[in-house]
């Protein structure tokens, strides 16, 4: 228990994806932590909704992520062991495209950086093994063995629950109105009261900069849409027969998941999405123009799906200019660890990010490979690296 006039050692603002994992990792170490969530852990109104998230290690975003992803895999298993449920299912992942494309070249660079287990399937092998995909003659598949899917809402809810069992306080439906850090600690003003802690972790996702306008770098808020298409033959799309996939063609950048409801195939077409001006006003309707684009992609690439989505979901995430998140102590505010801007690909790393934050709180540093996520990197006059058009585009994967 915190003392000397502090209500807790650490306040975590936002018990969503990253906040729940930070609470779990901090509580596991015996740090006194209080988490504030404006809704309730496991809600589906921002970064974590929509049934499933991709887990991948043959990472098209670059080999710098591979050690962190392997650490995350271990932490997912630790969380599963603490909560007694499977959260990450490794049914493999297909990266589908032209062999000499920047996309597959990046995937191969990650594979080679850590000698990741994989298979390369040429057109004939790929169409034979995975006939669910209508391939173009110039496409191949790279099978990432250490890929699969995670259950997002359940993971967040169970991580928060586990943290409470380990002594954390999670305050639900308690919105933080202001965070005022100073050299001695942090004052957190909520809809219900005032708290004083030694440190604060800003894990408010799309709301982070609204809450703390001084935080840099700034993020753009992006709306991301997911669609579930009914299947004529769901048995061909179960996790054991249908790996998760990302496919980039000249026309499409599309991700997909096996059926988890024995009824539908979930796909996300990764472009054409809107900006979000106000995270409190996320528009969850999807217009016909965007739906037409998604339907067209599914009709051409996954012809067995009935071409009318039975379910549509809209969510959001914050994007940095270089598509790398912000994780660490920030020069902008004292006693403040920032973790936001996960740019559409943060979920898979969440328990390792929580571990890194717990290290930073307890030891002031972490051995986890998160240098590329340093909050101060863009303010130190470093230019964002050149990225692939497709990689830099709007996506959630
Ligand atoms: C549609 C979609 C698909 C994606 N697909 C993948 C994928 O396949 N694989 C992958 O790895 N990643 C994927 N991502 C990215 C990943 O899901 C996000 O990067 C991650 O969920 C962001 O986590 P977060 O903690 O920053 O935000 P959130 O999970 O949104 O958490 C922020 C929390 O803070 C709370 N909060 C905000 N303000 C306050 C306040 N003032 N007081 C109290 N609480 C507050 C919010 O209610 C929320 O619960 C996807 C994202 C989206 C949107």
């Amino acid at each position: 228990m915190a003392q000397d006039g502090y209500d807790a050692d650490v306040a975590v603002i936002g018990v969503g994806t990253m906040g729940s994992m930070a609470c779990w990792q901090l509580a596991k170490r015996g740090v006194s932590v209080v988490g504030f969530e404006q809704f309730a852990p496991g809600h589906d109104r921002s970064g974590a909704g929509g049934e499933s998230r991709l887990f991948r290690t043959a990472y098209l975003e670059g080999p710098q992520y591979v050690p962190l992803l392997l650490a995350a895999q271990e932490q997912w298993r630790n969380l599963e062991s603490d909560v007694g449920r499977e959260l990450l299912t490794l049914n493999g992942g297909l990266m589908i495209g032209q062999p000499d494309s920047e996309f597959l070249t990046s995937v191969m660079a990650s594979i080679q950086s850590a000698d990741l287990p994989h298979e390369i399937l040429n057109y004939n092998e790929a169409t034979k093994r995975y006939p669910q995909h209508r391939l173009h003659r110039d496409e191949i598949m790279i099978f990432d063995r250490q890929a699969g899917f995670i259950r997002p809402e359940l993971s967040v809810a169970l991580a928060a629950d586990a943290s409470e069992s380990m002594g954390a306080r999670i305050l639900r439906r308690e919105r933080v109105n202001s965070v005022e850090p100073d050299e001695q600690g942090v004052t957190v003003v909520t809809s219900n009261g005032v708290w004083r802690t030694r440190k604060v972790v800003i894990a408010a996702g799309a709301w982070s900069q609204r809450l703390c306008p001084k935080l840099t770098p700034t993020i753009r808020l992006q709306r991301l849409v997911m669609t579930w298409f009914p299947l004529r033959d769901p048995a061909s799309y179960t996790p054991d027969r249908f790996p998760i996939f990302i496919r980039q063609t000249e026309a499409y950048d599309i991700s997909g998941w096996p059926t988890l409801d024995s009824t539908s195939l979930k796909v996300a077409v990764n472009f054409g999405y809107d900006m979000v001006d106000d995270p409190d006003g996320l528009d969850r309707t999807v217009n016909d123009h965007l739906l037409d684009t998604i339907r067209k992609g599914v009709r051409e690439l996954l012809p067995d799906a009935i071409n009318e989505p039975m379910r549509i979901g809209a969510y959001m995430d914050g994007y940095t200019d270089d598509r790398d998140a912000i994780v660490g102590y920030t020069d902008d505010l004292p006693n403040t660890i920032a973790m936001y801007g996960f740019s559409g690909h943060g979920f898979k790393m969440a328990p390792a990010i929580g571990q890194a934050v717990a290290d930073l709180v307890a030891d002031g540093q972490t051995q986890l490979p998160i240098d590329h996520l340093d909050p101060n990197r863009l303010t130190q006059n470093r230019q964002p690296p050149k990225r692939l058009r497709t990689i830099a585009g709007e996506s959630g994967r």
Side-chain angles (χ1 to χ4, degrees):
M1 199 63 195
Q3 292 169 347
D4 302 330
Y6 293 98
D7 298 304
D9 285 330
V10 185
V12 175
I13 316 299
V15 188
T17 308
M18 302 298 161
S20 63
M21 300 295 164
C23 287
W24 166 60
Q25 294 279 14
L26 284 161
K28 207 171 159 81
R29 286 184 199 202
V31 176
S32 91
V33 55
V34 54
F36 301 93
E37 173 51 51
Q38 61 183 346
F39 305 126
H43 73 84
D44 72 343
R45 294 181 235 191
S46 49
E51 186 184 73
S52 52
R53 289 287 180 273
L54 302 178
F55 182 89
R56 307 171 276 124
T57 50
Y59 217 51
L60 66 102
E61 290 81 355
Q64 71 277 18
Y65 276 99
V66 175
L68 183 60
L69 296 167
L70 296 175
Q73 192 177 322
E74 199 180 315
Q75 290 304 316
W76 280 112
R77 296 305 179 217
N78 286 342
L79 178 59
E80 287 173 337
S81 142
D82 282 357
V83 303
R85 291 286 296 273
E86 182 178 272
L87 300 169
L88 164 65
T89 305
L90 290 179
N91 69 324
L94 298 172
M95 304 296 122
I96 309 173
Q98 294 168 332
D100 52 358
S101 61
E102 283 184 272
F103 163 44
L104 290 192
T105 306
S106 305
V107 166
M108 278 312 295
S110 286
I111 288 174
Q112 282 156 1
S113 73
D115 200 15
L116 296 175
H118 70 286
E119 277 177 78
I120 299 176
L121 306 178
N122 65 27
Y123 171 84
N124 288 332
E125 292 162 336
T127 44
K128 194 165 168 213
R129 201 187 301 179
Y130 299 110
Q132 301 94 330
H133 294 274
R134 181 189 281 154
L135 280 200
H136 301 143
R137 289 233 52 119
D138 60 353
E139 286 179 307
I140 63 160
M141 293 181 174
I142 299 177
F143 182 65
D144 173 3
R145 284 196 185 282
Q146 292 184 99
F149 59 91
I150 313 161
R151 307 303 298 246
E153 299 92 340
L154 185 65
S155 300
V156 172
L158 289 179
D161 190 55
S163 72
E164 284 179 300
S165 315
M166 295 170 185
R169 291 187 67 178
I170 303 292
L171 301 179
R172 293 164 171 80
R173 288 166 285 282
E174 183 139 347
R175 186 165 190 152
V176 173
N177 293 326
S178 72
V179 177
E180 294 151 21
D182 55 55
E183 294 305 326
Q184 282 71 47
V186 183
T187 302
V188 176
V189 181
T190 77
S191 46
N192 241 348
V194 178
W195 293 70
R196 183 78 183 155
T197 59
R198 292 179 208 275
K199 294 188 193 307
V200 67
V201 176
I202 306 294
W207 288 265
S208 295
Q209 261 156 347
R210 169 167 293 214
L211 185 63
C212 296
K214 283 192 185 154
L215 278 183
T216 56
T218 51
I219 46 171
R220 286 182 302 105
L221 304 186
Q222 190 84 47
R223 186 174 84 130
L224 297 163
V225 172
M226 291 182 154
T227 42
W228 287 255
F229 285 81
L231 290 165
R232 295 187 180 88
D233 173 25
S236 299
Y237 293 82
T238 50
D240 54 325
R241 294 179 69 183
F242 190 73
I244 60 115
F245 73 90
I246 295 178
R247 184 165 175 192
Q248 292 190 1
T249 69
E250 286 297 312
Y252 297 105
D253 178 355
I254 181 170
S255 319
W257 289 257
T259 186
L260 300 182
D261 61 3
S262 306
T263 306
S264 64
L265 165 73
K266 189 180 98 170
V267 298
V269 174
N270 293 321
F271 54 74
Y273 296 155
D274 318 314
M275 306 292 288
V276 177
D277 294 329
D278 173 6
D280 287 326
L282 172 67
D283 181 0
R284 305 196 85 173
T285 57
V286 176
N287 67 33
D288 282 341
H289 178 68
L290 178 55
L291 264 187
D292 283 347
T293 309
I294 298 170
R295 269 196 294 258
K296 188 161 179 283
V298 171
R299 188 165 52 239
E300 285 176 19
L301 305 177
L302 295 153
D304 291 346
I306 293 171
N307 203 241
E308 197 64 59
M310 56 183 244
R311 179 179 162 197
I312 301 169
Y315 313 91
M316 62 182 158
D317 203 4
Y319 284 69
T320 61
D321 283 349
D322 61 5
R323 306 303 190 275
D324 294 326
I326 312 296
V327 182
Y329 281 104
T330 165
D331 288 350
D332 299 324
L333 296 164
N335 291 312
T336 303
I337 295 175
M339 50 190 311
Y340 66 99
F342 285 87
S343 304
H345 65 122
F347 203 92
K348 63 184 77 60
M349 309 162 207
I353 298 292
Q355 184 190 10
V357 165
D359 291 343
L360 292 173
V361 167
D363 310 327
Q365 57 182 1
T366 181
Q367 299 303 316
L368 284 164
I370 57 163
D371 286 353
H372 59 296
L373 310 181
D374 181 353
N376 307 307
R377 66 183 183 274
L378 295 174
T379 46
Q380 291 162 350
N381 288 331
R382 280 192 248 155
Q383 292 300 314
K386 181 178 166 288
R387 291 294 161 115
L388 292 181
R389 178 186 60 81
T390 42
I391 289 174
E394 307 100 340
S395 63
R397 54 197 170 202

